[in-house]
């Protein structure tokens, strides 16, 4: 809008300048005409003066025109000369006035022309200044408009940048909240899955126990029914024999008594053979159990002796070298569990404390990795494919290098304490467990480990 107004003002100013220039040209033309008229008047006046002089000369008497034609008195020539002189003076004065009038008219025309030229120059200068002022105002208006547009553009860009920054921060916040919600949801689902698995394991264990009890009860009831049926049949048979014996009288009585005696001897013999076979079986099982127990005790004794020798060697080395407590970042913790969720969750908890975490999906993989690098602490589950946690613990205790290693066992059952103690488990944690309790157990095991002070 200001630009349009500036252009409109410039057009009006140019139209006014053109009109003023045309007006000045008309004034100059009129002044030239007036000067020409004044010059013509001067020429006409001079011509009139000359005509008057001619006429006055012709109007004189011949004596005056020709003084030497006739004799005159002495006074006449003087008067004539005086009149001629006055006439000449009048003619000269008239001519002079005509010339002065012409010159005055010429000067007036020249002055008017110069005034007109000066006025036109002033008008042109005024027009130029007006045009320059209009151009300056237009340029200033355009500059202000450009600055305003630039400011508006910069303000728009700044607003857009601020809006983009706000949108970016909002997007980052929403993304962070979404990731946090997904993480919490994943942890919740993992916890629910773990709880469901534990509940399913508990229900399955209860079902198996109920099936076992039902099977034992059914087996006992079937044995009792078979015994009662055998007794009933035996009674019926004996009753039939008694009746037959009564009918057969004395002859059959003797045969019956003999038959009963023989039958009793046979049953007694069979019973004795069965008892002897059962006693032999029990004795063989007892001997086998004693042999296995002796082998286990011998293995444990050898492991204990090796552990004592290793402990003595380590103690001797420790006595010779200054020792220090194992640092968290030096502590290697092995986690053996067939559940990927448990491995991921527990490894995050341990890694957050600075421990070095080694993961194994089974007891066999844990044994293989321990052969490559012996950890300082072992965390194991109870039920795993292949070897279970008890067998893994017994294997660790049977090795001289790992016989004193702290073993943490995690189980959801409450009846594993005796088995865990018998296998050599250091600490038994129930599911679900507190993370602080797990860290405290690992810290206790770490603080119990001493390494040479110069070992890094």
């Amino acid at each position: 809008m200001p630009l349009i107004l500036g252009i409109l003002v410039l057009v009006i100013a140019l139209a006014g300048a053109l009109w003023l220039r045309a007006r000045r040209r008309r004034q100059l033309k009129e002044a030239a005409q007036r000067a020409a008229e004044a010059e013509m008047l001067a020429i006409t006046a001079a011509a009139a003066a000359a005509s008057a002089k001619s006429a006055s000369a012709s109007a004189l008497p011949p004596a005056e025109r020709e003084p030497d034609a006739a004799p005159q008195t002495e006074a006449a020539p003087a008067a004539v000369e005086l009149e001629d002189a006055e006439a000449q003076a009048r003619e000269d004065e008239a001519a002079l006035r005509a010339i002065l009038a012409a010159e005055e008219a010429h000067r007036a025309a020249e002055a008017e022309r110069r005034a007109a030229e000066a006025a036109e120059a002033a008008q042109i200068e005024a027009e130029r200044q007006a045009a320059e002022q209009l151009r300056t105002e237009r340029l200033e208006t355009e500059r202000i408009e450009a600055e305003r547009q630039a400011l508006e553009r910069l303000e728009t860009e700044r607003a857009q940048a601020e809006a983009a920054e706000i949108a970016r921060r909002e997007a980052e916040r929403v993304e962070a909240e979404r990731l946090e919600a997904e993480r919490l949801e994943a942890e919740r689902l993992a916890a629910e899955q773990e709880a469901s698995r534990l509940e399913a394991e508990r229900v399955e264990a209860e079902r198996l126990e109920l099936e076992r009890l039902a099977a034992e009860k059914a087996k006992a009831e079937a044995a009792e029914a078979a015994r009662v049926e055998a007794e009933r049949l035996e009674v019926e048979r004996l009753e039939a024999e008694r009746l037959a014996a009564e009918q057969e009288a004395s002859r059959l009585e003797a045969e019956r008594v003999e038959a009963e005696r023989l039958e009793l001897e046979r049953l007694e013999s069979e019973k004795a053979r069965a008892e002897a076979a059962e006693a032999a079986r029990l004795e063989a099982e007892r001997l086998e159990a004693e042999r296995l127990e002796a082998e286990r005790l011998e293995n444990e004794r050898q492991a204990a002796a090796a552990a004592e020798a290793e402990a003595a060697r380590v103690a001797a080395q420790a006595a010779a070298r200054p020792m220090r407590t194992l640092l968290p970042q030096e502590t290697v913790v092995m986690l053996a569990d067939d559940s990927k969720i448990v491995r991921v969750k527990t490894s995050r908890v341990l890694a957050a404390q600075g421990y070095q975490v080694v993961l194994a999906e089974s007891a066999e993989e844990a044994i293989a990795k321990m052969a490559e690098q012996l950890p300082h602490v072992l965390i194991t589950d109870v039920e795993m494919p292949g070897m279970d946690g008890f067998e893994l613990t017994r294997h660790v205790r049977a090795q001289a290098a790992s016989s004193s290693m702290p073993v943490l066992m995690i189980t959801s059952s409450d009846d594993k304490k005796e088995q865990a103690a018998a296998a050599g488990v250091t600490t038994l944690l129930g599911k679900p467990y507190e993370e602080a309790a797990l860290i405290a157990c690992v810290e206790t095991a770490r603080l119990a480990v001493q390494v040479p002070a110069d070992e890094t």
Side-chain angles (χ1 to χ4, degrees):
M1 190 66 182
L3 181 61
I4 297 174
L5 290 176
I7 294 172
L8 183 60
V9 171
L10 181 60
V11 171
I12 294 171
L14 291 175
L18 292 174
W19 179 81
L20 289 174
R21 181 174 293 180
R23 182 170 175 272
R24 290 293 180 272
R25 287 179 179 176
R26 286 197 303 272
Q27 290 177 353
L28 290 173
K29 186 175 181 181
E30 292 174 357
Q33 288 177 357
R34 285 195 298 272
E37 290 176 357
E39 189 175 357
M40 290 299 296
L41 288 174
I43 294 171
T44 305
S51 298
K53 183 178 179 181
S54 302
S56 61
S58 61
L60 291 176
E64 293 179 359
R65 292 195 302 269
E66 299 291 338
D68 53 352
Q72 295 180 356
T73 60
E74 295 179 358
V80 171
E81 291 179 357
L82 179 61
E83 289 177 358
D84 289 340
E86 289 177 356
Q88 185 65 36
R90 284 193 301 270
E91 291 176 358
D92 292 339
E93 184 178 356
L96 181 60
R97 281 198 302 269
I99 292 171
L100 291 175
E103 290 179 355
E104 182 67 23
H106 181 71
R107 283 195 299 270
E110 184 68 19
E112 188 175 357
R113 184 182 63 78
R114 290 178 180 178
E117 290 179 352
E120 184 178 4
Q123 180 63 28
I124 292 173
E125 180 65 19
E127 292 175 358
R128 187 188 64 78
Q129 291 179 357
E132 183 68 22
Q133 183 178 0
L134 289 175
R135 188 177 67 84
T136 304
E137 291 177 355
R138 180 178 60 79
L139 293 176
E140 181 66 18
T141 303
E142 292 177 354
R143 185 186 63 80
I144 293 173
E145 180 66 16
E147 290 180 354
R148 184 185 64 78
Q149 292 178 357
L151 289 175
E152 290 179 355
R153 180 177 58 78
L154 291 175
E155 184 66 21
T156 302
E157 291 177 355
R158 185 182 64 80
Q160 291 176 354
E162 290 179 356
E165 180 66 16
I166 292 172
R168 184 184 64 78
R169 293 180 179 177
E170 181 66 17
E172 290 179 354
R173 182 185 65 78
V174 170
E175 182 66 15
E177 291 179 355
R178 183 184 67 78
L179 294 176
E180 181 66 16
E182 290 180 355
R183 184 185 65 79
L184 295 176
E185 181 66 15
E187 292 182 355
R188 184 184 66 78
L189 292 176
E192 290 180 356
Q193 291 177 357
E194 182 65 16
S196 299
R197 187 182 68 81
L198 296 176
E199 181 66 18
E201 290 178 353
R202 185 185 64 77
V203 171
E204 182 65 17
E206 291 180 355
R207 185 184 65 78
L208 293 175
E209 182 65 18
L210 291 175
E211 289 180 354
R212 184 183 63 79
L213 294 175
E216 291 180 354
K217 181 179 179 182
K219 185 178 180 180
E221 290 177 353
E224 181 66 18
R227 186 185 62 79
V228 171
E229 180 66 18
E231 290 179 353
R232 185 184 65 77
L233 293 175
E234 182 66 18
V235 169
E236 289 178 355
R237 186 183 63 78
L238 293 175
E239 183 66 19
E241 290 178 356
R242 186 182 65 78
L243 292 174
E246 288 177 356
Q247 292 175 2
E248 289 292 330
S250 305
R251 184 182 64 80
L252 295 177
E253 180 67 21
E255 291 179 358
R256 185 186 63 80
V257 171
E258 182 64 19
E260 289 179 356
R261 184 183 66 76
L262 294 174
E263 183 66 17
L264 290 174
E265 288 179 357
R266 185 183 64 78
L267 293 175
E268 186 67 24
S269 176
E270 290 179 356
K271 181 179 179 181
R273 286 197 300 271
E275 289 178 351
E278 181 67 18
R281 185 182 65 78
L282 294 175
E283 180 65 17
E285 289 180 356
R286 184 185 64 80
L287 292 175
E288 181 65 18
E290 289 179 354
R291 185 184 66 77
L292 294 175
E293 181 66 18
E295 289 180 357
R296 187 182 67 80
L297 293 175
E298 180 63 20
N299 291 333
E300 290 181 356
R301 185 187 65 77
Q302 292 177 359
E308 289 177 358
E310 181 66 18
R313 185 183 65 78
V314 172
Q317 291 180 354
R321 299 169 63 185
M323 305 299 287
R324 62 175 177 83
T325 303
L326 190 67
L327 297 177
Q329 61 268 23
E330 299 174 340
T331 305
V332 179
V333 180
M334 177 173 286
L335 174 61
D337 199 305
D338 60 332
S339 173
K340 183 178 181 180
I341 295 176
V342 174
R343 292 198 306 273
V344 172
K345 182 179 179 181
T346 307
S347 63
R348 287 179 180 173
V349 173
L350 297 173
Q353 303 298 319
Y355 304 136
Q356 301 179 29
V357 183
V358 180
L359 301 178
E361 297 182 6
S362 62
E364 291 80 3
E365 184 180 358
I367 293 172
K369 289 187 176 182
M370 280 191 289
E372 299 174 358
Q373 180 186 13
L374 190 66
H376 299 100
V377 182
L378 173 63
I379 302 175
T380 179
D381 191 13
V382 176
E383 296 180 359
M384 292 184 292
M387 294 177 63
D388 58 11
F390 298 121
E391 294 174 327
L392 176 60
T393 303
R394 284 193 290 269
H395 175 81
V396 169
R397 292 288 179 255
Q399 306 299 316
S402 60
S403 60
S404 60
M405 180 192 303
V407 178
L408 279 64
M409 181 172 286
I410 302 175
T411 178
S412 58
S413 303
D414 297 333
D415 56 350
K416 306 292 186 182
K417 293 183 179 180
E418 294 182 359
Q419 290 179 277
V425 175
T426 307
T427 303
L428 187 67
L429 294 176
K431 289 184 180 179
Y433 58 84
E434 295 291 336
E435 295 179 359
L438 178 64
I439 297 302
C441 294
V442 176
E443 278 294 293
T444 301
R446 179 183 69 81
L447 297 174
V449 178
Q450 296 292 316
V451 297
D454 57 352
E455 183 178 310
T456 58

